[in-house]
Structures are given as structure tokens and as C-alpha cells.
Amino acid sequence: MNHSLKSPVTKASSAIRTSLSEKVFTVLNYVFFILLGLSTIFPFVNLIAKSLSSEAAVVSGMVSLYPIDFQIGTYRYVASNAMFLNAFTISITVTLIGSLLSLFMTTLAAYPLSKPRLRGRKFFILLYLFTMLFSGGLIPTYLLMHTLHLIDKLPVLFLPYMINVYNMLIIKNYFEGLPDSLEESAKIDGASNMTILWRIILPLSLPVLATIGLFYAVTYWNDYFTSLIYINSADMKPLQLYLKELFVSSTDAFLRTNVDASLNVSPQSIQAASIILATLPIVIVYPFLQKYFVKGVLVGSVKG
């Protein structure tokens, strides 16, 4: 008798054990990711609750996940504050202009580097990779910006960081994954390289372009260090630098000087409302680009 053959009963019991272990593993995964999600959502919910609660409730530490003594005076104050609105406008301008220019320049760099026929291709790629490992340093960069008369100017917030090499490599790899027959057919019809890029390659590359555009937008929107180094004028400070200074100066004396006492709000409420309003633009834009996110990064990272 061949004892290596398992009886139907043994196979059935093994299948039941496998199925049970898979169910337990799935349940544990759900529990883990639910807890992880709640841990990331809790601070945001807490900020919303603080921004909608009265001064007494916030100062006493009573606010956790829901507002106490509901009020919207904090949002009215923040939304009508001239400094906040100016900083918000600066950030919107820098994010829009910087993201579009960065995506444009990154695409122009990635397209020729995706073609093996480009002479010196490996050398140029190595030059880009070199900049990922070494930089000119903060002081030389500041001196360069000063020499170019960009200190306290809007372009200084996006020109020094126009191309991100990592993003360029993702777009390059995506271009390499497109069929060569598309370009060959277009060239037979007499299309130039720029025509091929704008009318054929880019329409097929919306997933990776939307993803990289979102990367650039989030980077420009959240950046405060650049403005901290290069911006001195109060009228040119973007939103993130305004928030940083708000957290430093939002004391009782600051409230007495800048906020109407009838509003009944605390410094923490002003901070919370400012953060919520500063987060809204990215939160609003992200769902429209989220469908491209995974596909664009995955294909652009593994191709080539």
C-alpha cells in the first residue's frame, strides 16, 4: 500500500485548517489596518473639534472627538484675516506655477533620456543621479539666489527645485514602457519629435503625469523651509511659514492684540482652524487624481 497518498478525509481536514488560518489572518489584517487608520484620523478629527469649540472647553481640555459649545467664530476670524489670505494666495500661486513648470521641465528631461538612441544617454543619466547624492550646499545656494537677485522674490520658491530627479526617472521609465511602434508610425507620417511627444506620448501618459503632478503640488504646498531661508518680507510669506509663525506667536498676548474678545476663541482653536483650512486644497484635489496614483507610480517604477 502506498502510504504517501492522503485519504479524502485527511485532505478535507487540511483544507479546513488552511481556510480557517486564512480567515484568521484576514480578520487580523482588517483589525490592524482599521486601528492604523483610526490612529491617523484621530488627530485630524481632534483638530476639527477644537476649531469648533469654545475657549473654555478647549483650555480646560474637555475637547476630544466632538465639539463642545459649538461655534464657528474661529473660522470667520481665520478666513477674514488679511495675513492668512495673503499667505494662502502666495501658496496657491507657487503651487500652481511651480507644479506646472516642474511637470513641464521634468517631462522634457525624461522624454529624450528614455530613448536608447540618444548619444551620451548614460552620461546624462549619471549626471542626474549625481545630483541625488550630492548638492551644492545651503550657503552656496543662498549666495547663488542672492547673485541672481531672487531673494524675497516669488520665483525663488520654485525655481531652485524645478526638477526632482526621482520624479524624472519615474516618468522616463513610464515612457520606456510605451510601444516603439507608436513613434515609428508617427514618424512615417512625418511627425516631428515634439509632435510625437505632445500628441501621442503625453495623452497616453496621463496616469504618471497626474501622479507626479500631485507629488510636486504636495511638495510645493507643504514646503516652508525654502521660504524660511529666502523670504524676509511679510507680504511674500507662504501659508506654511505663516502657520509656523502662528504656532510660535499664538499666545494670550497675541489674542488680545489681534482677535476680538467677543469671539470667545483660544489660541489652540485658531491654530486648529488655520491647519484645517490650509489642508483643504490638497484634500479636495487628491480624490480627483487618486485613480491615477497607484497605476502611475507602479508602472513608472517597474518598467525599464
Side-chain angles (χ1 to χ4, degrees):
M1 178 180 291
N2 188 354
H3 297 286
S4 62
L5 296 177
K6 295 182 179 180
S7 65
V9 177
T10 304
K11 291 182 179 180
S13 61
S14 177
I16 292 174
R17 287 195 298 268
T18 303
S19 177
L20 180 61
S21 63
E22 289 179 352
K23 289 181 179 179
V24 172
F25 180 74
T26 302
V27 170
L28 291 177
N29 267 340
Y30 275 110
V31 172
F32 171 76
F33 284 110
I34 288 174
L35 293 177
L36 183 63
L38 291 176
S39 68
T40 58
I41 292 175
F42 175 79
F44 193 74
V45 175
N46 180 253
L47 284 176
I48 296 177
K50 284 185 176 180
S51 66
L52 296 173
S53 300
S54 66
E55 179 180 11
V58 174
V59 172
S60 62
M62 298 169 56
V63 182
S64 58
L65 296 178
Y66 54 89
I68 297 178
D69 298 333
F70 182 86
Q71 54 83 28
I72 59 173
T74 308
Y75 284 97
R76 289 176 179 172
Y77 163 73
V78 174
S80 61
N81 183 276
M83 294 179 62
F84 177 86
L85 294 177
N86 180 73
F88 192 89
T89 303
I90 294 292
S91 288
I92 288 288
T93 304
V94 170
T95 300
L96 289 178
I97 297 177
S99 299
L100 291 175
L101 288 180
S102 292
L103 195 59
F104 176 76
M105 298 299 295
T106 303
T107 302
L108 288 184
Y111 180 64
L113 291 177
S114 67
K115 305 304 173 187
R117 65 179 182 271
L118 176 67
R119 293 182 180 181
R121 174 174 176 263
K122 292 184 178 180
F123 172 74
F124 290 120
I125 291 177
L126 287 176
L127 283 182
Y128 276 101
L129 293 177
F130 182 84
T131 64
M132 296 181 69
L133 303 175
F134 305 97
S135 65
L138 180 59
I139 295 177
T141 304
Y142 181 88
L143 294 176
L144 175 62
M145 296 300 107
H146 185 271
T147 303
L148 296 175
H149 304 288
L150 292 176
I151 302 299
D152 258 349
K153 303 290 180 59
L154 192 66
V156 79
L157 297 177
F158 54 83
L159 284 181
Y161 312 101
M162 190 68 67
I163 295 181
N164 182 286
V165 178
Y166 175 78
N167 294 338
M168 187 274 292
L169 293 176
I170 292 180
I171 297 180
K172 179 187 80 70
N173 291 341
Y174 192 97
F175 287 163
E176 290 174 349
L178 297 177
D180 294 334
S181 57
L182 293 173
E183 295 190 40
E184 294 172 357
S185 301
K187 286 186 177 180
I188 292 176
D189 293 335
S192 64
N193 289 327
M194 291 302 295
T195 301
I196 293 173
L197 174 62
W198 298 118
R199 295 192 177 183
I200 298 177
I201 302 300
L202 294 187
L204 295 174
S205 305
L206 286 180
V208 73
L209 294 179
T211 301
I212 299 304
L214 180 63
F215 283 174
Y216 277 125
V218 173
T219 299
Y220 283 121
W221 185 261
N222 290 333
D223 181 40
Y224 85 95
F225 185 74
T226 302
S227 56
L228 183 65
I229 299 299
Y230 300 122
I231 299 298
N232 300 315
S233 173
D235 295 335
M236 293 300 301
K237 291 180 180 179
L239 187 58
Q240 302 305 324
L241 185 57
Y242 168 81
L243 292 178
K244 181 256 182 188
E245 295 182 350
L246 177 65
F247 270 73
V248 173
S249 62
S250 189
T251 60
D252 291 337
F254 171 83
L255 278 179
R256 288 194 297 270
T257 304
N258 297 276
V259 183
D260 188 350
S262 62
L263 288 178
N264 189 30
V265 296
S266 66
Q268 294 92 331
S269 297
I270 293 178
Q271 293 171 350
S274 300
I275 293 174
I276 296 300
L277 293 179
T279 308
L280 279 181
I282 295 298
V283 172
I284 293 173
V285 170
Y286 183 81
F288 295 99
L289 301 179
Q290 190 267 344
K291 61 181 179 180
Y292 299 112
F293 191 81
V294 175
K295 182 180 178 182
V297 174
L298 180 63
V299 176
S301 299
V302 302
K303 288 290 183 179

